[in-house]
Amino acid sequence: MIALCLILFSLLPLGQLTCNPCCSNPCQHRGICMTKGFDGYECDCTRTGYYGRNCNTPEFFTWLKTTLKPTPTTVHYILTHFRVVWNIINHIQYLRNAIMGYVLMSRSHLIESPPTYNSKYGYKSWEVFANLSYYARALPPVPPDCPTPLGVKGKKELPDSKVIVERLLLRRKFIPDPQGTNLMFAFFAQHFTHQFFKTDFHRGPAFTNAIGHGVDLNHVYGVTLERQAKLRLFKYGKLKYQMIRGEMYPLTVKETQAEMNYAPSVPEHLKFAVGHEVFGLVPGLMMYAILWFREHNRVCDILMREHPEWEDEQLFQTARLILIGETIKIVIEDYVQHLSGYHFNLKFDPEILFTHRFQYQNRITTEFNTLYHWHSLLPETFLIQDEEYTYQQFMFNNSILLDHGLSEVVRAFSRQSAGRISGGRNIPAVVQHVAKASIDHSRKMRYQSLNAYRKHFLLQPFKSFEDLTGEKEMAAELEELYGDIDAVELYPGLIVERPRPNAIFGETIIELGAPFSLKGLMGNAICSPEYWKPSTFGGKVGFDIVNTASIYKLVCNNAKGCPVTAFHVINPKTAATINVSTSRAARDEVNRAVLLKKPYAEL
């Protein structure tokens, strides 16, 4: 494994070249490589279940477990087939809870907690643990003294990131997601992750401005107390608001003095001020900002009726906890449920983990940030009622929300298909600079290869370029650009990877993303035994709001006319028959009314 370094040592005088023997990643099965002198190394195999010089010999129970354990492909197939069997399991509480507990623990244990690395330290240090201004790292950076940018494999120089984007990532023709994902999902993904993916580009891509490293709804309330104060009414626990055409909207930048990133051409009356300063960029983000803003004030009204004795501060803080709970419930049972494609119904119930050893803390990793760059979801244009908006017309245009109405925007986004993410060549030209920046930033932080991450998350490494892409054309281009399958970078590899059958993602995004996501959600303080009780949420009434939350109810309770929505493309005819009191089973039927290859009229 370290043959290249040894050859280089033999060719040059002692001291002229220092080649880190850990560059070749000799330690297998999550063993930790530590240098020993200038030309030696040792692997720490502690608690890996393996032993030997390179942690490659399994202990008996490890061998037995890995022999019997099905592959991720097999598990995915089982969970996405046999609907009748899963419908039975979903109605047997003991079985469902047991399976959900296994899903949560098997995913979460893949995430190191507390964190082990950041982009400055490739070894454990107190700074890694204590310095919250860094994103954490799942894998340490490639040592700076390696023969190639990815360690010892591949070419001495990586291909031009612009060339990678143009040849492998840029959209030729819009490819709709075969799962029927819609724009409500696309904008939810963007708005939800902006609360913890808050890169501090003044300091560099390794740094974050997100204080909480998780779901704290700073995109609703602001990161700082100063910004929060500008948005709060300081009466009845509510956020400041105005009424426009009988509906509640946030106040403007001018009225709150809360800074927002708007284009200079935006009229003052359309510069709504919300928790996140960039949510005025597109109406899809502002739509969700307004929905959560209205939900906060709605919950405050409910709490005031239940607790007339409470002061403003307790109403505000309790409403925030309720909204955090609603968010996690929606993400697990609607959002993750949709992208997984499972027939097994995922369940948000923190009590499932109370009998397990589980740490209620989280640190956002930079790799999680990188794999979440899902710009392929975006369409070519945006269709709202009879209007078609280009990106130039769509950006910084809050007038769309007022002219069409929030409810019509929801209906439009619910019916328009989003793009497929994996499979390559589906990133819109308008955001190609973001894709290029993702590659450039990954290189600056010295990410390890796609295969290194697959091995870390217990996946088999790809053996060839065709194994990665599932076809020949892109495989040939990748080979020309990288030279070796073990030199393919993380982000381009995630995007060009062949999707699972009829799915939005390839295997790697799911198998890397799910552990980060579920650990971050269930590691939230409100999921701990100390917090997860009715009194935390203002009693039974608040606890019920959390436990019955859904994307459909969030929209229905806060948009005129209760527009039906889900994260699948909605059949307009089916939507007309659904109302807020509809059961989850009936809502699931709405979710299954997806746009595949048929025009709307054929659904």
Side-chain angles (χ1 to χ4, degrees):
M1 293 292 290
I2 58 172
L4 179 57
C5 284
L6 295 176
I7 292 171
L8 290 172
F9 270 115
S10 68
L11 294 176
L12 294 173
L14 184 63
Q16 185 170 334
L17 175 68
T18 301
C19 184
N20 189 327
C22 290
C23 288
S24 60
N25 295 319
C27 305
Q28 304 301 300
H29 305 108
R30 292 186 151 219
I32 298 173
C33 184
M34 183 173 65
T35 57
K36 195 172 183 179
F38 291 103
D39 58 354
Y41 72 94
E42 64 181 16
C43 293
D44 186 348
C45 309
T46 305
R47 288 184 290 278
T48 64
Y50 291 83
Y51 62 94
R53 175 169 171 76
N54 292 331
C55 308
N56 52 5
T57 304
E59 298 169 0
F60 174 75
F61 286 108
T62 301
W63 170 84
L64 185 64
K65 181 180 177 180
T66 54
T67 301
L68 297 176
K69 184 179 179 180
T71 66
T73 300
T74 301
V75 172
H76 182 78
Y77 180 86
I78 293 170
L79 288 166
T80 54
H81 292 75
F82 315 110
R83 183 191 295 274
V84 173
V85 176
W86 287 114
N87 284 344
I88 295 172
I89 292 173
N90 290 332
H91 287 88
I92 302 174
Q93 183 174 345
Y94 173 79
L95 280 178
R96 186 183 176 199
N97 286 353
I99 294 172
M100 191 67 204
Y102 173 77
V103 169
L104 292 172
M105 291 304 298
S106 64
R107 298 291 193 179
S108 298
H109 89 273
L110 293 173
I111 304 302
E112 285 76 11
S113 183
T116 48
Y117 310 109
N118 63 28
S119 290
K120 181 176 181 180
Y121 294 96
Y123 50 88
K124 294 181 182 69
S125 69
W126 187 255
E127 187 71 9
V128 169
F129 169 75
N131 192 339
L132 298 179
S133 67
Y134 276 97
Y135 287 115
R137 291 283 292 261
L139 283 178
V142 175
D145 51 353
C146 291
T148 71
L150 274 298
V152 299
K153 297 293 184 71
K155 302 178 179 181
K156 291 187 177 181
E157 291 187 8
L158 289 168
D160 189 315
S161 57
K162 186 173 184 290
V163 172
I164 295 172
V165 172
E166 291 175 348
R167 292 173 62 175
L168 298 169
L169 309 185
L170 195 61
R171 178 175 291 163
R172 272 63 167 167
K173 180 182 178 182
F174 176 70
I175 305 171
D177 168 38
Q179 285 182 223
T181 301
N182 62 17
L183 294 190
M184 285 297 289
F185 178 96
F187 287 120
F188 188 94
Q190 189 176 19
H191 106 278
F192 167 70
T193 59
H194 269 54
Q195 67 188 297
F196 44 79
F197 295 151
K198 296 178 72 69
T199 301
D200 183 352
F201 289 111
H202 294 293
R203 298 182 67 185
F207 294 89
T208 176
N209 288 318
I211 298 172
H213 278 265
V215 179
D216 60 7
L217 270 58
N218 67 70
H219 61 318
V220 177
Y221 303 107
V223 171
T224 65
L225 289 176
E226 180 184 7
R227 184 175 184 85
Q228 182 186 114
K230 292 177 180 179
L231 300 174
R232 286 181 61 176
L233 183 62
F234 288 107
K235 290 182 180 180
Y236 322 119
K238 293 186 175 183
L239 298 170
K240 294 175 181 176
Y241 64 92
Q242 61 177 316
M243 301 303 293
I244 302 176
R245 300 169 191 168
E247 295 192 79
M248 185 182 294
Y249 287 87
L251 292 184
T252 64
V253 171
K254 184 176 182 180
E255 292 167 312
T256 62
Q257 296 302 301
E259 293 184 4
M260 295 285 291
N261 296 338
Y262 282 106
S265 58
V266 177
E268 289 295 333
H269 75 282
L270 292 176
K271 292 181 178 179
F272 296 129
V274 295
H276 200 297
E277 62 275 8
V278 304
F279 274 18
L281 177 66
V282 290
L285 293 175
M286 187 56 68
M287 172 195 70
Y288 274 113
I290 293 171
L291 286 170
W292 285 114
F293 155 81
R294 292 179 180 178
E295 177 68 2
H296 175 91
N297 285 353
R298 185 187 78 87
V299 168
C300 285
D301 285 333
I302 294 172
L303 290 174
M304 278 194 294
R305 291 195 294 270
E306 188 76 7
H307 297 284
E309 75 281 10
W310 281 7
E311 296 181 353
D312 167 76
E313 187 67 16
Q314 190 166 4
L315 291 167
F316 173 83
Q317 297 295 347
T318 305
R320 181 172 185 169
L321 290 175
I322 290 172
L323 264 67
I324 290 172
E326 288 186 81
T327 299
I328 298 174
K329 172 88 167 179
I330 290 170
V331 170
I332 290 178
E333 294 194 3
D334 290 331
Y335 178 84
V336 177
Q337 181 75 58
H338 165 71
L339 63 84
S340 72
Y342 295 166
H343 294 316
F344 170 66
N345 286 345
L346 301 176
K347 184 179 183 181
F348 172 53
D349 181 0
E351 292 186 14
I352 291 173
L353 294 180
F354 288 177
T355 57
H356 297 271
R357 296 180 64 184
F358 188 80
Q359 292 185 316
Y360 293 95
Q361 58 177 306
N362 187 58
R363 286 283 289 276
I364 299 298
T365 69
T366 184
E367 295 99 338
F368 189 33
N369 185 2
T370 296
L371 73 80
Y372 231 114
H373 287 185
W374 296 349
H375 298 93
S376 302
L377 288 169
L378 295 171
E380 287 298 285
T381 58
F382 301 89
L383 309 174
I384 304 175
Q385 292 184 298
D386 296 327
E387 297 288 334
E388 182 175 9
Y389 293 92
T390 64
Y391 280 89
Q392 186 176 7
Q393 296 167 325
F394 196 68
M395 293 179 66
F396 297 112
N397 192 357
N398 285 335
S399 66
I400 289 174
L401 296 168
L402 296 181
D403 293 345
H404 293 279
L406 188 69
S407 296
E408 286 301 331
V409 172
V410 168
R411 291 188 181 97
F413 291 163
S414 300
R415 298 172 185 178
Q416 186 170 356
S417 179
R420 189 185 70 190
I421 293 172
S422 293
R425 294 176 177 166
N426 204 26
I427 293 178
V430 70
V431 290
Q432 62 179 303
H433 64 288
V434 182
K436 180 182 183 301
S438 297
I439 300 171
D440 293 338
H441 292 160
S442 299
R443 292 174 178 180
K444 187 173 183 179
M445 293 183 287
R446 305 199 311 277
Y447 278 2
Q448 295 191 33
S449 69
L450 174 71
N451 267 347
Y453 281 99
R454 283 182 62 86
K455 287 189 286 187
H456 182 74
F457 284 87
L458 310 184
L459 301 171
Q460 290 297 316
F462 290 118
K463 297 178 181 178
S464 67
F465 292 100
E466 285 190 32
D467 188 25
L468 168 61
T469 65
E471 50 82 89
K472 295 182 180 297
E473 182 187 344
M474 280 193 297
E477 295 208 46
L478 279 167
E479 186 166 16
E480 178 189 338
L481 291 168
Y482 286 104
D484 192 300
I485 187 63
D486 287 324
V488 174
E489 298 170 272
L490 177 64
Y491 176 69
L494 292 170
I495 302 303
V496 303
E497 182 181 3
R498 66 184 185 277
R500 280 171 163 164
N502 299 314
I504 189 170
F505 295 127
E507 177 184 64
T508 313
I509 286 185
I510 288 289
E511 299 302 322
L512 270 63
F516 288 126
S517 179
L518 293 175
K519 175 62 174 70
L521 293 168
M522 299 307 296
N524 193 284
I526 71 158
C527 300
S528 67
E530 291 75 20
Y531 273 68
W532 188 252
K533 52 189 70 174
S535 57
T536 300
F537 306 97
K540 182 178 183 300
V541 64
F543 209 30
D544 285 346
I545 293 172
V546 173
N547 284 314
T548 60
S550 70
I551 185 61
Y552 175 71
K553 289 185 71 173
L554 172 68
V555 170
C556 188
N557 286 329
N558 296 289
K560 185 183 294 185
C562 185
V564 173
T565 190
F567 292 136
H568 291 71
V569 174
I570 293 293
N571 180 339
K573 294 179 182 178
T574 304
T577 68
I578 307 297
N579 57 55
V580 72
S581 62
T582 302
S583 67
R584 177 169 179 172
R587 292 200 308 272
D588 288 345
E589 289 303 315
V590 175
N591 291 350
R592 286 192 284 270
V594 300
L595 177 65
L596 298 177
K597 296 182 179 179
K598 298 179 180 181
Y600 292 117
E602 294 180 25
L603 287 172

